[in-house]
Amino acid sequence: MPQQPAPWGPVPGQDQGRAASQTPDWDALADTTASRGRRRKWLLIGGGALATIAVAGTVAALVVGSGKSGKAAGLPSPQKLPSSPGSPEPSFSQVAPPPPPNPRDFIASADKDKAPLSTKTLFPHSKPSLDKRKYDRTATTTDNDCASAAQGGLGAVLTGNGCREVLRATYVRDGVAVTVGVAVFDTKAAADKAKEQSTGNIESLAGDGPSFCRATACRLTANAEGRYAYFTVAGYTNGKAVPDDDKDALQAGRDVAGYTFRRIMARANAQAAASVAMPSPGAKKQA
């Protein structure tokens, strides 16, 4: 009898199929490898991002911690900073400087008004420009008898209030002449009273020119500053009366009166300035 194959032997059809299934599927292996590579790459990127976040969080924690401490790292505290020994600190006087003197105080009484007084110091300009109008000074004089320098009752007012002297000056411009007379008293109160009681007028001082304002209508002014009362009389050099609608004599009287006021205040300011520059009698000289 022919020999039968063993029952456990390979079945021909099955052996061939098994051999074919044991051959590697190269396409599948390639896809698997690529998938693993991509997975590894994403893992690396994610890990790097997590590490970056962790580092940033650590730095932020350090910054916040340093802000809470209020001290810069590596710098000594203010108590440990070196200081320059022996540095002098500036010192300021606690005593306030005295206020500047009031110039009017120096012309309020004869006790303080000690500057030289004459027609040269009171009327120093021979051709003053008064508000852009030029005048010529034609005459000056000083009268120790105050009544002789006045008319129409003003003399009695001056002497009754203790007038010491009257200084006069005459200024001429375009046919108009003005005489100003400054009456000097011992106190401001006396000068103010003479102004309030004034009547009549100061007598015009013609000098070498024609007389004016004698027994005729003229423009008059009366003022006082400090211990000085000053009066003006203004009219035409040809002797005519000044009409009511006149403007030239009125303006000339105002110009000369304003000039006289400024000259009196210049005297006051000069004495006030000199008192500041002059050291006090008890002051000690510094080495």
Side-chain angles (χ1 to χ4, degrees):
M1 292 178 68
Q3 188 176 359
Q4 296 294 326
W8 55 81
V11 180
Q14 291 178 352
D15 293 339
Q16 292 177 358
R18 183 178 299 172
S21 63
Q22 291 178 354
T23 301
D25 189 349
W26 299 109
D27 293 336
L29 290 174
D31 292 339
T32 302
T33 302
S35 176
R36 290 177 179 176
R38 287 193 298 271
R39 186 180 298 109
R40 183 178 181 182
K41 181 178 180 181
W42 284 111
L43 288 174
L44 291 175
I45 293 174
L50 291 175
T52 302
I53 293 172
V55 172
T58 302
V59 173
L62 291 175
V63 171
V64 172
S66 63
K68 290 180 179 179
S69 64
K71 297 181 180 179
L75 292 178
S77 62
Q79 292 79 5
K80 296 181 179 180
L81 291 175
S83 60
S84 56
S87 299
E89 295 183 358
S91 60
F92 302 94
S93 175
Q94 300 297 326
V95 180
N102 186 350
R104 283 185 165 89
D105 291 343
F106 290 87
I107 57 171
S109 67
D111 294 336
K112 296 189 68 174
D113 190 11
K114 297 298 185 181
L117 178 62
S118 66
T119 55
K120 291 182 179 180
T121 61
L122 195 58
F123 310 115
H125 307 106
S126 61
K127 294 180 180 296
S129 179
L130 311 181
D131 198 12
K132 298 181 180 180
R133 288 179 286 271
K134 294 183 178 180
Y135 289 81
D136 290 326
R137 188 192 64 200
T138 59
T140 60
T141 188
T142 300
D143 300 289
N144 294 323
D145 181 6
C146 297
S148 64
Q151 290 182 335
L154 183 59
V157 172
L158 298 181
T159 56
N161 287 287
C163 176
R164 296 293 183 180
E165 60 182 350
V166 176
L167 292 82
R168 287 185 291 169
T170 296
Y171 298 88
V172 178
R173 177 181 182 269
D174 296 339
V176 176
V178 183
T179 293
V180 57
V182 179
V184 183
F185 299 87
D186 288 340
T187 63
K188 173 177 167 38
D192 290 341
K193 192 173 180 180
K195 171 197 168 184
E196 295 172 0
Q197 297 175 350
S198 64
T199 182
N201 60 277
I202 203 77
E203 186 175 74
S204 63
L205 180 65
D208 296 335
S211 61
F212 64 98
C213 293
R214 299 289 179 90
T216 186
C218 287
R219 294 286 187 176
L220 308 176
T221 67
N223 295 279
E225 184 61 47
R227 67 187 189 109
Y228 303 96
Y230 54 101
F231 311 87
T232 65
V233 55
Y236 301 141
T237 56
N238 58 14
K240 290 184 177 182
V242 177
D244 294 339
D245 61 349
D246 166 78
K247 294 182 179 179
D248 295 334
L250 177 64
Q251 186 64 65
R254 290 176 176 175
D255 287 345
V256 175
Y259 170 71
T260 305
F261 166 77
R262 291 191 295 273
R263 292 305 310 157
I264 294 173
M265 288 306 302
R267 175 182 179 85
N269 292 327
Q271 293 183 90
S275 70
V276 175
M278 184 182 303
S280 60
K284 296 181 178 180
K285 295 182 179 181
Q286 296 182 354

